[in-house]
Amino acid sequence: MGLQGYVGSGEDVRRIRRQEQQLEEERKKREAEKQQREANVSAAGFRQFGKGAAEALEAALGQQTVGLVTRAEFAEKQRTLQEQIAAHQDKRKRDELEAANKAKEEKQAKRAKLTSKSKLSFADDEEEDEDSPAANSTKPKAVASATKLTGIGKDPTTHTAFLPDKEREQQEQQLREQLKQEYELRQQIVKNEPLPVTYSYWDGTGHRRKVVVRKGDTIAQFLKAVKIQLSEEFRELRSTSVSNLMYVKEDLVLPHNMSFYDLIISKARGKSGPLFHFDVYDDVRLEHDASIEKEESHAGKVCARHWYDKSKHIFPASRWEVYDAEKDYSNYTVK
């Protein structure tokens, strides 16, 4: 548009020129926007990352075809965008494949490095002696021995007895149980052995008798056998219970719950002799030394408790006392 041939006032001319300037500025603005859109064509696909190819193409095409365009221009832009998106996808796939291969190679290299650290290697020695004839002749043997060394194991010559071993502990426990059973069996055999006991029933005077019991029997069981043996001869014992009878050995009153086996294995001693000998014998040495303990064994006395209660102030009952396993009677002297 121009002003040639136009006849009008000056105000109209100035208004027309302003309109022309505005139109020219709008045209330049549209051209700049078009160029900017064309420069951002490739960026359109990246901004649509995470969407499908069709959505990315549609978004980019919409940005490129703002305003009025011909059909040929629209088709050309659509084809160009499709090629760019396809090329971008191919490049991204190649990058992902290369990254995956690189990560796999790094992982394999790291694993090989860890494996090589756990093996004994003679590679340095082989490289130094590689050119020598002797090295070439022994190389197959070295390779064969190196292949056998798969890793560093335990040293069989190292002393490991102090370390915990479940299998060894089980064997020790089984051995302990076996020894315990053997010991208990031997104890039971010894306890069932017969034991002749010489005793004297004491009612102010002595009446010596002998009875056979087992070594494992208690004093109460022994007194029961004594009561049965004496009941025919001493009628007062028929109405006397076992708990009212006492057995006094070497001036010590033995508890009813103690067994002969306990006295034998502990080598117990009383005031005037051993408590583990139940027969009667005297010390026949011609010369006696007061500093040496005698080996005389005296017959134990069996008496009724009511007789002891009324006669305990009279000899020999005045010397009697209850046996205490913790007390030492070896230094006892008669006062």
Side-chain angles (χ1 to χ4, degrees):
M1 182 181 294
L3 299 177
Q4 292 83 1
Y6 175 77
V7 180
S9 63
E11 184 63 29
D12 293 335
V13 173
R14 288 192 294 272
R15 182 171 55 81
I16 291 171
R17 287 179 178 176
R18 283 197 301 270
Q19 291 177 353
E20 289 178 350
Q21 290 177 355
Q22 290 176 357
L23 292 174
E24 183 64 22
E25 290 176 359
E26 291 177 358
R27 185 183 65 79
K28 290 180 179 180
K29 186 176 180 180
R30 286 195 300 271
E31 288 293 335
E33 291 176 354
K34 182 178 179 181
Q35 292 176 0
Q36 182 66 29
R37 284 195 300 271
E38 290 177 353
N40 296 336
V41 167
S42 60
F46 291 102
R47 286 195 297 269
Q48 299 299 326
F49 179 77
K51 298 184 179 179
E55 295 179 358
L57 177 60
E58 183 179 355
L61 187 60
Q63 293 179 0
Q64 290 289 324
T65 57
V66 175
L68 298 176
V69 294
T70 62
R71 184 174 183 178
E73 291 177 351
F74 182 83
E76 178 66 21
K77 292 183 180 295
Q78 187 178 18
R79 183 179 61 80
T80 302
L81 289 174
Q82 287 176 347
E83 292 176 353
Q84 292 178 351
I85 291 175
H88 173 67
Q89 290 178 346
D90 292 340
K91 185 177 181 301
R92 186 175 63 182
K93 289 181 180 179
R94 287 195 302 271
D95 294 342
E96 291 177 354
L97 183 60
E98 290 178 359
N101 292 334
K102 186 176 180 181
K104 186 176 180 181
E105 291 176 358
E106 291 178 353
K107 187 175 181 180
Q108 291 177 351
K110 185 176 181 181
R111 186 180 301 169
K113 186 176 180 181
L114 292 176
T115 305
S116 63
K117 285 183 178 180
S118 63
K119 294 181 178 180
L120 292 175
S121 175
F122 302 95
D124 296 339
D125 297 338
E126 291 177 0
E127 289 177 0
E128 292 176 359
D129 301 336
E130 189 176 16
D131 299 332
S132 62
N136 292 331
S137 62
T138 58
K139 186 174 181 180
K141 296 181 180 179
V143 173
S145 61
T147 55
K148 293 180 181 178
L149 294 173
T150 57
I152 300 176
K154 294 181 179 179
D155 184 0
T157 61
T158 303
H159 180 66
T160 59
F162 62 92
L163 296 176
D165 189 340
K166 186 176 181 181
E167 183 177 355
R168 186 175 67 245
E169 291 176 357
Q170 290 178 351
Q171 293 176 355
E172 291 176 355
Q173 181 64 26
Q174 291 176 359
L175 180 60
R176 283 195 293 268
E177 290 295 332
Q178 182 180 354
L179 295 175
K180 180 181 178 182
Q181 293 176 2
E182 293 177 358
Y183 174 72
E184 292 177 351
L185 180 61
R186 289 197 299 268
Q187 274 190 323
Q188 193 62 36
I189 293 173
V190 173
K191 288 180 180 179
N192 289 329
E193 292 178 356
L195 176 67
V197 179
T198 301
Y199 70 94
S200 176
Y201 174 61
W202 193 265
D203 58 355
T205 58
H207 309 276
R208 184 167 293 187
R209 301 286 187 276
K210 180 180 286 189
V211 67
V212 178
V213 294
R214 297 180 305 170
K215 290 183 178 179
D217 288 347
T218 61
I219 301 301
Q221 292 171 324
F222 161 71
L223 291 174
K224 183 177 180 181
V226 170
K227 177 184 175 182
I228 295 173
Q229 188 182 48
L230 298 177
S231 293
E232 294 295 331
E233 185 177 355
F234 301 94
R235 294 180 178 273
E236 66 272 14
L237 293 178
R238 297 179 182 179
S239 59
T240 304
S241 64
V242 174
S243 59
N244 286 326
L245 292 177
M246 298 169 55
Y247 179 55
V248 184
K249 175 71 171 166
E250 309 299 342
D251 293 332
L252 296 177
V253 181
L254 300 181
H256 284 200
N257 59 350
M258 178 169 288
S259 67
F260 292 100
Y261 180 78
D262 296 333
L263 296 171
I264 293 171
I265 62 172
S266 63
K267 299 288 185 180
R269 306 196 66 86
K271 293 182 178 181
S272 56
L275 296 177
F276 52 90
H277 290 316
F278 302 97
D279 52 353
V280 178
Y281 63 90
D282 296 329
D283 191 347
V284 295
R285 288 177 296 180
L286 297 177
E287 295 183 2
H288 298 286
D289 188 351
S291 62
I292 301 176
E293 186 176 15
K294 295 181 180 181
E295 290 296 332
E296 296 178 347
S297 178
H298 310 94
K301 296 180 177 60
V302 175
C303 66
R305 187 174 296 276
H306 65 84
W307 179 91
Y308 171 72
D309 289 339
K310 68 180 182 179
S311 305
K312 58 184 178 182
H313 61 287
I314 306 172
F315 181 85
S318 59
R319 295 181 57 191
W320 298 351
E321 64 178 89
V322 178
Y323 171 72
D324 184 2
E326 301 297 329
K327 188 175 179 180
D328 183 14
Y329 298 97
S330 61
N331 297 325
Y332 177 81
T333 56
V334 179
K335 296 180 180 180

mmCIF file of all heavy atoms in Angstrom, residues 42-53 55-56 59 88-89 92-93 96:
data_model
loop_
_atom_site.group_PDB
_atom_site.id
_atom_site.type_symbol
_atom_site.label_atom_id
_atom_site.label_comp_id
_atom_site.label_asym_id
_atom_site.label_seq_id
_atom_site.Cartn_x
_atom_site.Cartn_y
_atom_site.Cartn_z
ATOM 1 N N SER A 42 13.320 -29.346 17.366
ATOM 2 C CA SER A 42 13.897 -30.541 18.011
ATOM 3 C C SER A 42 13.623 -30.564 19.509
ATOM 4 O O SER A 42 13.507 -31.624 20.108
ATOM 5 C CB SER A 42 15.404 -30.592 17.769
ATOM 6 O OG SER A 42 16.013 -29.436 18.298
ATOM 7 N N ALA A 43 13.545 -29.357 20.118
ATOM 8 C CA ALA A 43 13.292 -29.300 21.567
ATOM 9 C C ALA A 43 11.895 -29.739 21.921
ATOM 10 O O ALA A 43 11.634 -30.121 23.058
ATOM 11 C CB ALA A 43 13.536 -27.891 22.089
ATOM 12 N N ALA A 44 10.997 -29.696 20.939
ATOM 13 C CA ALA A 44 9.608 -30.079 21.227
ATOM 14 C C ALA A 44 9.526 -31.540 21.615
ATOM 15 O O ALA A 44 8.793 -31.923 22.525
ATOM 16 C CB ALA A 44 8.723 -29.790 20.009
ATOM 17 N N GLY A 45 10.296 -32.377 20.890
ATOM 18 C CA GLY A 45 10.275 -33.807 21.214
ATOM 19 C C GLY A 45 10.827 -34.078 22.595
ATOM 20 O O GLY A 45 10.328 -34.929 23.313
ATOM 21 N N PHE A 46 11.902 -33.363 23.011
ATOM 22 C CA PHE A 46 12.491 -33.573 24.339
ATOM 23 C C PHE A 46 11.561 -33.126 25.446
ATOM 24 O O PHE A 46 11.549 -33.688 26.516
ATOM 25 C CB PHE A 46 13.824 -32.832 24.448
ATOM 26 C CG PHE A 46 14.897 -33.434 23.583
ATOM 27 C CD1 PHE A 46 15.246 -32.844 22.378
ATOM 28 C CD2 PHE A 46 15.528 -34.593 23.968
ATOM 29 C CE1 PHE A 46 16.235 -33.398 21.588
ATOM 30 C CE2 PHE A 46 16.530 -35.156 23.174
ATOM 31 C CZ PHE A 46 16.870 -34.559 21.974
ATOM 32 N N ARG A 47 10.777 -32.078 25.176
ATOM 33 C CA ARG A 47 9.852 -31.604 26.211
ATOM 34 C C ARG A 47 8.712 -32.587 26.422
ATOM 35 O O ARG A 47 8.043 -32.564 27.445
ATOM 36 C CB ARG A 47 9.295 -30.222 25.833
ATOM 37 C CG ARG A 47 10.296 -29.086 25.993
ATOM 38 C CD ARG A 47 9.591 -27.751 25.959
ATOM 39 N NE ARG A 47 8.951 -27.513 24.684
ATOM 40 C CZ ARG A 47 9.522 -26.895 23.652
ATOM 41 N NH1 ARG A 47 10.795 -26.510 23.747
ATOM 42 N NH2 ARG A 47 8.875 -26.706 22.535
ATOM 43 N N GLN A 48 8.505 -33.468 25.436
ATOM 44 C CA GLN A 48 7.439 -34.446 25.554
ATOM 45 C C GLN A 48 7.981 -35.822 25.978
ATOM 46 O O GLN A 48 7.438 -36.853 25.624
ATOM 47 C CB GLN A 48 6.710 -34.573 24.196
ATOM 48 C CG GLN A 48 6.069 -33.302 23.702
ATOM 49 C CD GLN A 48 5.004 -32.787 24.636
ATOM 50 O OE1 GLN A 48 4.318 -33.586 25.255
ATOM 51 N NE2 GLN A 48 4.865 -31.480 24.734
ATOM 52 N N PHE A 49 9.138 -35.804 26.691
ATOM 53 C CA PHE A 49 9.760 -37.057 27.108
ATOM 54 C C PHE A 49 8.803 -37.803 28.045
ATOM 55 O O PHE A 49 8.205 -37.220 28.940
ATOM 56 C CB PHE A 49 11.068 -36.752 27.843
ATOM 57 C CG PHE A 49 11.765 -37.986 28.321
ATOM 58 C CD1 PHE A 49 12.471 -38.750 27.432
ATOM 59 C CD2 PHE A 49 11.678 -38.364 29.648
ATOM 60 C CE1 PHE A 49 13.119 -39.880 27.867
ATOM 61 C CE2 PHE A 49 12.312 -39.483 30.075
ATOM 62 C CZ PHE A 49 13.041 -40.253 29.195
ATOM 63 N N GLY A 50 8.671 -39.091 27.818
ATOM 64 C CA GLY A 50 7.789 -39.904 28.644
ATOM 65 C C GLY A 50 6.476 -40.159 27.954
ATOM 66 O O GLY A 50 5.697 -40.989 28.409
ATOM 67 N N LYS A 51 6.120 -39.416 26.831
ATOM 68 C CA LYS A 51 4.892 -39.649 26.106
ATOM 69 C C LYS A 51 5.171 -40.501 24.887
ATOM 70 O O LYS A 51 6.305 -40.730 24.507
ATOM 71 C CB LYS A 51 4.248 -38.336 25.678
ATOM 72 C CG LYS A 51 3.840 -37.449 26.844
ATOM 73 C CD LYS A 51 3.134 -36.226 26.353
ATOM 74 C CE LYS A 51 2.692 -35.320 27.504
ATOM 75 N NZ LYS A 51 2.022 -34.117 27.028
ATOM 76 N N GLY A 52 4.151 -40.951 24.187
ATOM 77 C CA GLY A 52 4.304 -41.734 22.988
ATOM 78 C C GLY A 52 4.765 -40.880 21.808
ATOM 79 O O GLY A 52 4.723 -39.640 21.834
ATOM 80 N N ALA A 53 5.203 -41.567 20.720
ATOM 81 C CA ALA A 53 5.674 -40.849 19.523
ATOM 82 C C ALA A 53 4.546 -40.054 18.877
ATOM 83 O O ALA A 53 4.745 -38.941 18.378
ATOM 84 C CB ALA A 53 6.263 -41.846 18.526
ATOM 85 N N GLU A 55 1.930 -38.647 20.382
ATOM 86 C CA GLU A 55 1.655 -37.450 21.171
ATOM 87 C C GLU A 55 2.741 -36.405 20.961
ATOM 88 O O GLU A 55 2.466 -35.205 20.841
ATOM 89 C CB GLU A 55 1.557 -37.818 22.651
ATOM 90 C CG GLU A 55 0.366 -38.734 22.970
ATOM 91 C CD GLU A 55 0.308 -39.091 24.425
ATOM 92 O OE1 GLU A 55 1.230 -38.645 25.155
ATOM 93 O OE2 GLU A 55 -0.624 -39.781 24.848
ATOM 94 N N ALA A 56 4.014 -36.862 20.930
ATOM 95 C CA ALA A 56 5.109 -35.920 20.707
ATOM 96 C C ALA A 56 5.002 -35.266 19.333
ATOM 97 O O ALA A 56 5.217 -34.059 19.170
ATOM 98 C CB ALA A 56 6.449 -36.642 20.846
ATOM 99 N N ALA A 59 2.079 -32.723 19.371
ATOM 100 C CA ALA A 59 2.405 -31.502 20.105
ATOM 101 C C ALA A 59 3.354 -30.614 19.312
ATOM 102 O O ALA A 59 3.164 -29.389 19.210
ATOM 103 C CB ALA A 59 3.012 -31.870 21.461
ATOM 104 N N HIS A 88 15.671 -39.233 16.754
ATOM 105 C CA HIS A 88 15.918 -39.064 18.184
ATOM 106 C C HIS A 88 15.685 -40.364 18.944
ATOM 107 O O HIS A 88 16.460 -40.733 19.845
ATOM 108 C CB HIS A 88 15.021 -37.953 18.721
ATOM 109 C CG HIS A 88 15.084 -37.814 20.218
ATOM 110 N ND1 HIS A 88 16.208 -37.394 20.874
ATOM 111 C CD2 HIS A 88 14.154 -38.070 21.178
ATOM 112 C CE1 HIS A 88 15.990 -37.369 22.169
ATOM 113 N NE2 HIS A 88 14.736 -37.787 22.374
ATOM 114 N N GLN A 89 14.636 -41.110 18.576
ATOM 115 C CA GLN A 89 14.363 -42.374 19.246
ATOM 116 C C GLN A 89 15.461 -43.392 18.973
ATOM 117 O O GLN A 89 15.882 -44.134 19.862
ATOM 118 C CB GLN A 89 13.006 -42.920 18.814
ATOM 119 C CG GLN A 89 11.819 -42.103 19.339
ATOM 120 C CD GLN A 89 10.488 -42.631 18.847
ATOM 121 O OE1 GLN A 89 10.443 -43.434 17.916
ATOM 122 N NE2 GLN A 89 9.393 -42.176 19.457
ATOM 123 N N ARG A 92 18.432 -42.477 21.054
ATOM 124 C CA ARG A 92 18.235 -42.797 22.463
ATOM 125 C C ARG A 92 18.384 -44.298 22.714
ATOM 126 O O ARG A 92 18.971 -44.728 23.713
ATOM 127 C CB ARG A 92 16.847 -42.326 22.904
ATOM 128 C CG ARG A 92 16.603 -42.487 24.406
ATOM 129 C CD ARG A 92 15.289 -41.902 24.813
ATOM 130 N NE ARG A 92 14.195 -42.607 24.174
ATOM 131 C CZ ARG A 92 12.901 -42.276 24.325
ATOM 132 N NH1 ARG A 92 12.582 -41.224 25.069
ATOM 133 N NH2 ARG A 92 11.961 -42.955 23.720
ATOM 134 N N LYS A 93 17.870 -45.129 21.777
ATOM 135 C CA LYS A 93 18.020 -46.578 21.919
ATOM 136 C C LYS A 93 19.482 -46.987 21.854
ATOM 137 O O LYS A 93 19.928 -47.852 22.619
ATOM 138 C CB LYS A 93 17.212 -47.289 20.827
ATOM 139 C CG LYS A 93 15.702 -47.207 21.021
ATOM 140 C CD LYS A 93 14.970 -47.948 19.932
ATOM 141 C CE LYS A 93 13.451 -47.866 20.124
ATOM 142 N NZ LYS A 93 12.717 -48.577 19.045
ATOM 143 N N GLU A 96 21.111 -46.046 25.155
ATOM 144 C CA GLU A 96 20.732 -46.960 26.226
ATOM 145 C C GLU A 96 21.454 -48.291 26.084
ATOM 146 O O GLU A 96 21.908 -48.885 27.080
ATOM 147 C CB GLU A 96 19.218 -47.176 26.221
ATOM 148 C CG GLU A 96 18.425 -45.939 26.636
ATOM 149 C CD GLU A 96 16.927 -46.170 26.536
ATOM 150 O OE1 GLU A 96 16.536 -47.253 26.045
ATOM 151 O OE2 GLU A 96 16.153 -45.277 26.956
#
